[in-house]
Amino acid sequence: MVKKTVNFFRKLRLRIRFGNRVQIASLPKTHILPKMYVSSNGSITVGDNLMAERNTSLESYFDGVIRVGDNVFINSNVKIVSRKEIVIGDNTMIAPNVCIYDHDHDWRGGDVQNEFAADAVHIGNNVWIGANSVILRGTTIGDNSVIAAGTVVKGNVDAGCILYQKRENVYRQITL
């Protein structure tokens, strides 16, 4: 009951602060709403039954759009930041400490702090993104895919695939 009351007031506060730029289909009963920030031209739309843990944030800057489908689970310390478009499909699970960005700094521009390159991120339905993964701009992840823990994703991941990155440990003797 406490979480439902907290979510009601958080939704009310979001409505007062951001107006129609934030759309929440229904209030979660067992989890809290994530922190949200929406700039004047951005928007965030959340489907039914969003389950989010602590320290989760959805941030939409400039013309950024974030759309989250139904029955999505977002674990703790997840950060989703859009300057263009991020779409997360239905029944997707996102593990702790995942970062999803549809932009990065354009280091070739004269002003590295204020120049950005942006490209949409699309995450399909029934996707599982493992802990500590990073999803970068220009990424499309197909339906029914798994992104292994600690993976950095850029580009296309076909539907029904598991993406993981091999790592080899290298040990060298310390000489003093």
Side-chain angles (χ1 to χ4, degrees):
M1 182 67 176
V2 171
K3 288 182 182 177
K4 191 171 183 179
T5 304
V6 168
N7 284 337
F8 172 78
F9 285 110
R10 184 173 278 175
K11 184 177 179 180
L12 182 62
R13 190 174 73 229
L14 288 168
R15 176 67 67 192
I16 292 168
R17 183 172 179 195
F18 300 118
N20 289 332
R21 292 176 289 158
V22 173
Q23 299 290 323
I24 301 170
S26 64
L27 292 173
K29 294 179 178 115
T30 58
H31 292 76
I32 59 173
L33 283 171
K35 296 173 190 169
M36 294 185 198
Y37 173 79
V38 184
S39 66
S40 60
N41 293 326
S43 69
I44 296 176
T45 304
V46 176
D48 286 325
N49 199 27
L50 172 67
M51 296 169 281
E53 295 293 337
R54 285 190 289 208
N55 298 325
T56 298
S57 68
L58 305 176
E59 302 172 20
S60 169
Y61 294 98
F62 299 101
D63 296 328
V65 173
I66 298 175
R67 288 194 308 262
V68 179
D70 297 336
N71 305 312
V72 171
F73 175 74
I74 302 174
N75 214 320
S76 57
N77 302 317
V78 171
K79 189 166 186 94
I80 301 170
V81 183
S82 175
R83 286 180 176 263
K84 187 167 185 172
E85 179 182 60
I86 296 175
V87 178
I88 299 172
D90 297 340
N91 306 308
T92 292
M93 296 184 301
I94 302 174
N97 306 313
V98 170
C99 295
I100 303 173
Y101 296 99
D102 66 357
H103 63 282
D104 54 26
H105 290 276
D106 186 358
W107 57 271
R108 289 171 278 205
D111 187 359
V112 176
Q113 294 179 356
N114 293 318
E115 299 283 331
F116 293 92
D119 199 2
V121 171
H122 291 244
I123 299 171
N125 298 320
N126 306 307
V127 173
W128 180 17
I129 300 173
N132 300 306
S133 294
V134 179
I135 312 298
L136 301 172
R137 70 181 169 95
T139 296
T140 299
I141 301 173
D143 294 344
N144 306 307
S145 294
V146 175
I147 306 301
T151 302
V152 178
V153 185
K154 171 93 168 119
N156 293 329
V157 177
D158 292 335
C161 285
I162 297 175
L163 175 64
Y164 63 95
Q165 294 169 337
K166 285 184 160 185
R167 292 173 183 80
E168 294 183 22
N169 295 329
V170 177
Y171 299 94
R172 293 190 183 167
Q173 205 62 32
I174 299 172
T175 56
L176 302 173

